[in-house]
Structure formats: C-alpha cells, structure tokens
Amino acid sequence: ITGAGRGIGKAIAETLAKHGVTVICVSKSADSCGATAAAIVAAGGKAKALAVDVADGAAVAKAAEALLKEFPTIDILVNNAGITRDGLLFRMSDNDWNEVISTNLSSCFHWSKHIARPMTRARWGRIVNITSVSGIMGNAGQANYSAAKAGMIGLTKTLAREFAGRSVTV
C-alpha cells in the first residue's frame, strides 16, 4: 500500500491486516510507514515498512525487485500515495506540476508495471488505484491534482482491459 503512513493508506493497511493480509506499508517517510507497520504488528498483524520515494521510478523499480525476492507473490497492490500542491494555473510552478504528476500518477504506473507481472503469471491479483472526483469534475486551483487523478482513471481502465484475461482485476 503506497501512502500507508497516514490517512486513507493507513486505514487500508490496518483493515487489510485485520483480515489476515501481510501488509507492506510504503511511504516516503520511514517514520510514518514504520509507525503504521509497528501498530499493525502490535495489534497482532503482519506488516513491513518500506520507505521509498514513489515519485522516483528507479527507486520504485529497485524496491519492487527487492520485495518480489522476499515476497514472490504479491496479491494486492493499492496505489494510494498522493500529494497536493494547489495553486491557480498562472501561479503554479513547473515543480509543483511535476511533483504532483510524479507522485500521484507516475507512481501508479511504476508500481503497477513491476508488481503486476507476477500477478499475471499467477493468474490472480488485485490492483486498487485510489483516485478522486477531482479527476472527473476538475477543481479550481488543482490543475495538477485533477490531471493526475484523471490520468489514474484512464490508466485504471486500460490496465483492467490488459489484465482481465489473466484474472487480475484493476
């Protein structure tokens, strides 16, 4: 689960762990994903913390490779990591645009690309991409966020079609 250090990602991690799933809590912050994993273990669940910048495609590839060595079958991927850098278009910096697109959209591409291959080989898996109504309706001051979430919707629909024949739902 990306973005498992707080908010929705943390709640998803805790809920899956309560249902017996071994959870890998991914966050840019070692402290936040570590706290989530520790709380899950303290409650009797199984969890591992993994600090990685999900906006860095090379870092995601390296992390995914290491995870798949430790856990050859990862059955569920939750792409939840997300940030905001709100501002009206004329005031939005290129950096704010790129950070949101990289964290919210490109991370989804990178994690799915690396984790889904073993799912398709096993002919079972679940990929859950957490998006927003902003990706459908838009939101003033959130051109970057809305574009990223709209991109996630398109990516989700495409991957669903690509992987359906291999019993991987997206």
Side-chain angles (χ1 to χ4, degrees):
I1 298 143
T2 66
R6 61 185 178 87
I8 294 169
K10 181 179 180 182
I12 292 169
E14 291 169 343
T15 301
L16 287 174
K18 285 178 188 173
H19 290 280
V21 174
T22 299
V23 179
I24 302 161
C25 302
V26 177
S27 176
K28 188 173 182 178
S29 165
D31 291 340
S32 67
C33 65
T36 300
I40 289 169
V41 170
K46 295 179 184 174
K48 172 186 175 88
L50 178 63
V52 62
D53 181 356
V54 299
D56 180 343
V60 171
K62 185 177 177 181
E65 182 181 353
L67 283 173
L68 290 169
K69 284 181 182 173
E70 186 175 351
F71 304 97
T73 54
I74 295 177
D75 298 320
I76 303 166
L77 168 63
V78 179
N79 287 305
N80 169 71
I83 61 169
T84 58
R85 299 286 185 269
D86 295 350
L88 297 174
L89 181 69
F90 294 134
R91 294 183 187 148
M92 186 174 291
S93 70
D94 288 356
N95 190 57
D96 286 348
W97 172 268
N98 291 327
E99 281 185 8
V100 171
I101 296 297
S102 295
T103 301
N104 297 17
L105 175 58
S106 297
S107 69
C108 187
F109 162 77
H110 292 296
W111 282 108
S112 297
K113 181 178 179 180
H114 296 290
I115 300 299
R117 186 176 302 274
M119 289 179 181
T120 61
R121 286 186 185 134
R123 295 187 163 274
W124 198 93
R126 302 293 179 256
I127 299 173
V128 179
N129 297 327
I130 307 297
T131 186
S132 168
V133 69
S134 294
I136 298 168
M137 298 175 49
N139 197 21
Q142 289 192 318
N144 50 7
Y145 184 80
S146 296
K149 294 303 183 175
M152 284 180 71
I153 293 167
L155 179 62
T156 299
K157 290 178 179 184
T158 298
L159 296 183
R161 289 180 180 269
E162 287 186 18
F163 299 153
R166 306 292 282 177
S167 299
V168 175
T169 60
V170 184

